[in-house]
Amino acid sequence: MVGTVAAPYQVLQSHTICANVTLLRFIPLISIAGPLTEPKEDGTARSVLDVLAQVLPPDLQGEAVAAKYFLRQLEAGNCIVLLDGLDEVATEAEFRSVVRAIESMAVKYGHNQFLLTSREAGWRGGVGTDFSTFYVSDLTDIQVNAFIESWYDAVEKNAVIGRLEDEGNAERKERKRRAVRRASELKSALKENIGIRRLATNPMLLSIIALVHRSLATLPRERAKLYSECTK
C-alpha cells in the first residue's frame, strides 16, 4: 500500500498491475465490503482505514501501531492504494458503501495514488469521474509466448532444492532445457487448438492454462474439459 506516487486516480478494468513499493498491502474489496456497510458506534460511516485490519497479516490485526503507520503514510502522500475487484462486491448496499468509502478516501488523501480494478460486467456505474479509466487489451501472440517462456522458467527455478547459487552447471543446463522444452510444448499445443488459444489472450486464463498444462503435461482438446480441470 505504500510506495511512489504517480497519477492520483485510476481504474484498471479487467486485471490488476503492481508497482515497485516499499510495502505492498493488496486490498480485495470483497473482504471489506461487509464491514463498510456497518456504521460506527457514533452512527457515522466506516472508512477503508477503519476496516483495514481485515486485510492485514494476522500478527498485525488489532495492532494500533499498524493503523497509525498507514494513516501517517497516507497523510504524507506516500501511498499507492490497490483496491481490487469492485465487480466482486455482491449486494447493492455493499457496492454503494464501498464506492462511497473509496471516493471519500481519494478526496481526503488526494496526494496518494489510487488504483481500482473491476471487470466491465460488474462496474455498475463505478466510481466518480475523478478516476481515469483504462482497459487491459488482449495479449498478443508475442506476449503469450513471452509469458509461457517466463512462466516455465520461473516454475523450474522454484523447483530447485536449495539455493540457485549452489546449483551445479549440469543441473542448471538441464533445468533450462526442461523449461524451454515444456514452454515449447505448451506453445505448440495452443497453436493446434484455436479455441483454447483464444482463451490464452486473457492473462488470468493463460495462467490457469499453464497450470493445467504443467499438471497434465498436455492440454484438453475441448474448452469444457479445460474448465473442468481448472476447477479441480
Side-chain angles (χ1 to χ4, degrees):
M1 182 172 172
V2 182
T4 306
V5 177
Y9 312 135
Q10 300 178 5
V11 176
L12 185 62
Q13 295 200 3
S14 185
H15 299 288
T16 308
I17 64 172
C18 291
N20 290 326
V21 292
T22 53
L23 174 60
L24 181 62
R25 189 67 252 152
F26 187 65
I27 305 177
L29 291 173
I30 193 173
S31 68
I32 63 173
L36 282 174
T37 63
E38 303 170 2
K40 293 190 286 188
E41 292 182 0
D42 60 4
T44 59
R46 294 184 185 275
S47 69
V48 173
L49 274 179
D50 290 329
V51 299
L52 183 61
Q54 306 270 344
V55 295
L56 290 177
D59 57 331
L60 291 179
Q61 293 181 11
E63 292 288 340
V65 65
K68 290 179 180 178
Y69 171 79
F70 286 116
L71 177 59
R72 287 197 306 271
Q73 297 299 328
L74 283 166
E75 290 175 340
N78 293 331
C79 295
I80 298 174
V81 184
L82 308 178
L83 303 157
D84 179 53
L86 183 62
D87 57 294
E88 296 177 2
V89 177
T91 70
E92 196 59 33
E94 289 177 341
F95 188 87
R96 288 195 301 269
S97 295
V98 167
V99 169
R100 173 202 51 76
I102 292 171
E103 292 176 340
S104 176
M105 189 180 192
V107 170
K108 188 172 183 179
Y109 304 106
H111 295 299
N112 300 277
Q113 180 179 353
F114 295 82
L115 178 61
L116 170 65
T117 70
S118 174
R119 295 181 182 88
E120 289 185 74
W123 183 234
R124 290 175 281 180
V127 290
T129 55
D130 285 340
F131 281 76
S132 300
T133 303
F134 300 89
Y135 296 86
V136 177
S137 300
D138 288 342
L139 297 177
T140 65
D141 289 344
I142 292 175
Q143 290 171 327
V144 168
N145 289 339
F147 176 96
I148 292 171
E149 291 164 6
S150 298
W151 192 89
Y152 261 115
D153 181 62
V155 164
E156 292 298 335
K157 283 181 179 177
N158 192 54
V160 173
I161 299 174
R163 301 189 309 167
L164 287 174
E165 295 83 354
D166 297 333
E167 189 179 25
N169 288 332
E171 290 83 359
R172 184 179 298 107
K173 288 180 180 179
E174 176 57 29
R175 168 173 58 79
K176 290 182 177 180
R177 280 197 295 267
R178 191 163 54 246
V180 170
R181 185 183 72 251
R182 296 307 313 279
S184 297
E185 290 170 354
L186 177 51
K187 288 186 287 186
S188 296
L190 289 176
K191 285 182 180 179
E192 295 169 3
N193 191 320
I194 300 301
I196 293 180
R197 173 65 184 81
R198 292 195 186 100
L199 299 179
T201 61
N202 180 298
M204 183 185 70
L205 292 179
L206 179 54
S207 299
I208 295 174
I209 287 170
L211 286 169
V212 170
H213 181 261
R214 180 169 182 260
S215 174
L216 300 180
T218 186
L219 280 182
R221 299 293 302 175
E222 300 173 7
R223 287 192 185 191
K225 291 182 179 180
L226 176 65
Y227 293 148
S228 176
E229 291 296 332
C230 292
T231 60
K232 291 182 180 179

